[in-house]
Amino acid sequence: MKALLTFLPLFRQRSGALLLALILLLVTLLAGVSLLGTSGWFITATALTTAGLGFNLFVPSAMVRGLSFIRILARYGERLVGHNATLKLLSDLRGWLFARLFPRLPLPDRSLRHGDLVSRLTADIDALDTAFLVAIGPLAAAMVVGTAMTVILAIFLPGAALPYGLALALAGLAVPAIMVLLGRKAGRDSVVARADLRMEVLDGVNGHADLVLLGALGNAAGKFEAAGQHASHLHLRLGAITSLGGLAVQMLAAGALIGTLWAGLVALDAGQIDGPLMAGLLLAVLGSFEVTSLIVRSTSKATQAMAAAERLVALAELPPAVAEPAAPLSIPGNAPIRFEAVSFGYPGLPPVLNDISFTVSPGERLAIAGPSGGGKTTLLRLLLRFADPQAGAIRIGESALPAFRSDDIHRHMALLSQDSPVFIDTIRNNLLIGRADASEDELWAALGKAQLAQHISALPKGLDTLVGEAGRTLSAGQARRLCLARALLSNAPVLLLDEPTNALDRETEEAFFKVLASASQGRTVIMVTHAAIPEGTVDRVLTLDNGRLV
């Protein structure tokens, strides 16, 4: 519950719409209770009225129709307003999480698997966005409707007020509280189990080719089946708790109905109440328990929302990868980059980099070659300050990287990695990721430097052409050049390239290097690659092997 309170400020931002949804929910429930009560009174009074006596049919029949229309319109309005506010709240929740997550990237907790992160960013957020519709709203409505019905019974049928009020309080408060206590662990375990299931799916999809080649597809399928059965078992446990809660509420509703009927018969026999009014009160009592059924059905979701909130808060409170400086310096625009006796290793593993020292002059194009696993990518990660060296220092000019803000470092250096994505969007929007305020001419200039302008201009929609998933409507070389154009558009004085020709055939690879040599003029380039580099692409080549420069 404490974790849910973390998101209270986000609920306050939508308090107006949520309050309107609550009012409409109350109108819906009150109209429904009034409709049942009026209908019961009307039908009973009509049946008891003799044919020779006059009876006003118009007022009660108009009330029945009016209450029906009010209930329908209020229900529609409550769904429209409530779901609209909830979808906006969902956007607020994602914005809140990403705002806290970005400064912590890359995540320092290496035990957090990709599938678990995806689950927290999707399913756990979705579990929270229903908190108002399935928990807060019905609970508040139950209190208002129950209080109103108790007051009405106290006025017209005092003997039924106490048993009814007690039964509704137990159904609306005590039963859900007991269900939360019983289902708290199952709800938490269910959220974790579904996250595990998503991880098994992602692992199986991403590693399908390897699983087939190694003959391990059966083992992966077995693990997925076991994870699915565990998640299903927990879901059934939550379902059983919900069913028992529903049974308890129905029994309390039956008790309230019997108590009202008994008190009504006693009052009728004593002449303190007439038959039509007693029938109307009985049906109104029955209708007022509708809201308690909503609460019971939502209790299992509430337990999962609590667990999801705990997982999201834990993610948002992860320590940042690096500490930001208290008094940051400005990065000099035309300064060398120096590695001074840099050493680095990941926890529990041998050192990746050992005593690395070199200098990159402004405007120099440097390639760092070597076999895979030699520490080349780690070198770029340290340069972008995704982590700090365990020994030595990396400097821009005379100042070490910890003297600068991470945001300033990332604006100073543009990264083109081997897995830089091409998004399912227009070419224009893919480019604007590099610099959101770039003009049309600047977009075409970047495409020209990447030697992609001619192809894009020949497309029917030009820059507004929609690119398929992962850039599949482009060739591999064109997708790489589009990512290069995006990096060039950033105006960063330093370009970092991490295996930019990975998965390209040799002809496409050589064409990309040729484009890079012309497009990167005037910028500092640091490229790591294990590919053979054509002459003239860079000014200097260093070789990194087993964490050492050779």
Side-chain angles (χ1 to χ4, degrees), residues 361-422:
S361 301
E364 182 181 8
R365 294 174 298 175
L366 172 69
I368 300 176
S372 297
K376 301 187 303 297
T377 298
T378 299
L379 188 145
L380 293 186
R381 286 171 56 86
L382 295 179
L383 188 54
L384 287 165
R385 209 177 173 230
F386 289 156
D388 286 328
Q390 292 155 354
I394 304 173
R395 300 182 184 276
I396 301 178
E398 298 301 322
S399 302
L401 289 185
F404 309 117
R405 289 195 318 155
S406 296
D407 287 348
D408 293 338
I409 293 173
H410 299 159
R411 276 192 289 267
H412 188 73
M413 304 178 190
L415 174 67
L416 173 59
S417 68
Q418 56 185 309
D419 53 0
S420 291
V422 175

Side-chain angles (χ1 to χ4, degrees), residues 303-353:
T303 58
Q304 294 177 41
M306 293 178 192
E310 291 172 356
R311 284 162 53 84
L312 290 174
V313 170
L315 182 61
E317 292 180 350
L318 285 173
V322 294
E324 295 295 328
L329 301 178
S330 298
I331 297 180
N334 192 25
I337 297 172
R338 296 202 302 271
F339 280 69
E340 298 177 350
V342 171
S343 296
F344 180 80
Y346 295 103
L349 298 175
V352 179
L353 298 175

Side-chain angles (χ1 to χ4, degrees), residues 147-163:
T147 302
M149 194 65 215
T150 302
V151 171
I152 292 173
L153 287 175
I155 296 172
F156 295 101
L157 194 59
L162 180 61

Side-chain angles (χ1 to χ4, degrees), residues 65-112:
R65 290 191 179 187
L67 289 170
S68 298
F69 280 116
I70 290 173
R71 187 174 188 275
I72 292 171
L73 293 175
R75 173 68 74 185
Y76 177 79
E78 181 264 331
R79 293 294 173 87
L80 180 64
V81 174
H83 283 81
N84 182 57
T86 301
L87 289 174
K88 290 182 178 179
L89 180 62
L90 176 65
S91 177
D92 295 340
L93 287 168
R94 295 195 190 282
W96 175 90
L97 181 60
F98 277 89
R100 283 154 182 77
L101 196 57
F102 283 157
R104 291 166 171 79
L105 295 175
L107 295 178
D109 186 1
R110 296 174 63 84
S111 65
L112 189 64

Side-chain angles (χ1 to χ4, degrees), residues 441-504:
D441 291 340
E442 289 172 326
L443 296 180
W444 284 111
L447 289 171
K449 290 179 180 178
Q451 297 186 13
L452 199 58
Q454 184 176 359
H455 173 74
I456 301 302
S457 62
L459 297 174
K461 294 185 179 180
L463 290 173
D464 295 317
T465 301
L466 194 65
V467 178
E469 183 177 2
R472 289 176 183 171
T473 53
L474 302 172
S475 69
Q478 289 169 341
R480 288 283 84 191
R481 293 203 296 275
L482 180 59
C483 292
L484 175 61
R486 183 166 64 202
L488 295 172
L489 190 66
S490 69
N491 284 337
V494 179
L495 292 180
L496 306 180
L497 296 97
D498 181 12
E499 302 286 1
T501 60
N502 184 53
L504 300 182

Side-chain angles (χ1 to χ4, degrees), residues 345-359:
Y346 295 103
L349 298 175
V352 179
L353 298 175
N354 287 294
D355 196 27
I356 299 295
S357 297
F358 64 90
T359 299

